[in-house]
Amino acid sequence: MKRALPVLALSVAALIPVWRYAPSAETSSSSTEVAAPASTPSAAPSSGSSGSGSSDSGSSDAGTSNQVVAGSTLNTEKGPVQVEVTFTGDEISSVRMLQAPPHPQTEAAVPKLIEATLEAQSADIDAVSGATITSEGYVKSLQAAIDAKG
């Protein structure tokens, strides 16, 4: 019985921070933009196009143009996910998140997903641990953008 009281007191003291924890009150807009890592090539800035349309803008090479294609919006249990892919010729030159769930694990996963996409040049990438639902939505939206490009 002598040990029960200290054990109970320490258990309650250890649980107080857990009970008081509140996620950050940041609210994000419906569009979360995440740039590709600095070591990857990026395309010209978007001209603000929205939807599933595409736009062509000339680049320094006369025969090459950038095509920007938005993937479909997927409503996951964590929130909507939508990507925008910039193609230079047949190569994926950059990926941008148009919509992402406002969650710390998603924010940490997006750069990894973009890096994996630029490396693989396809939607055949692994999910990021801790952000599986967002990763699956990202891959589906990415595949929709690749299919829309043709």
Side-chain angles (χ1 to χ4, degrees):
M1 190 60 157
K2 291 180 182 181
R3 292 184 198 162
L5 195 54
V7 168
L8 181 61
L10 290 173
S11 296
V12 170
L15 289 174
I16 288 175
V18 174
W19 290 328
R20 297 198 60 193
Y21 174 75
S24 62
E26 281 185 37
T27 58
S28 66
S29 63
S30 63
S31 173
T32 301
E33 293 185 33
V34 177
S39 63
T40 59
S42 64
S46 174
S47 59
S49 65
S50 61
S52 297
S54 62
S55 63
D56 292 326
S57 61
S59 66
S60 59
D61 296 340
T64 309
S65 64
N66 291 338
Q67 183 179 10
V68 179
V69 181
S72 58
T73 302
L74 285 120
N75 291 315
T76 68
E77 33 185 288
K78 301 289 184 187
V81 176
Q82 183 182 24
V83 301
E84 178 183 79
V85 183
T86 302
F87 295 93
T88 303
D90 288 334
E91 184 177 311
I92 297 173
S93 58
S94 72
V95 180
R96 185 171 69 116
M97 289 293 283
L98 295 178
Q99 294 184 58
H103 196 273
Q105 288 158 323
T106 297
E107 292 170 11
V110 169
K112 294 175 186 176
L113 292 167
I114 291 173
E115 183 178 352
T117 301
L118 295 174
E119 207 172 288
Q121 289 294 306
S122 72
D124 187 21
I125 59 173
D126 293 331
V128 174
S129 178
T132 307
I133 294 170
T134 300
S135 297
E136 290 171 356
Y138 173 92
V139 167
K140 289 177 183 177
S141 183
L142 176 64
Q143 187 61 55
I146 293 170
D147 292 344
K149 190 228 182 246

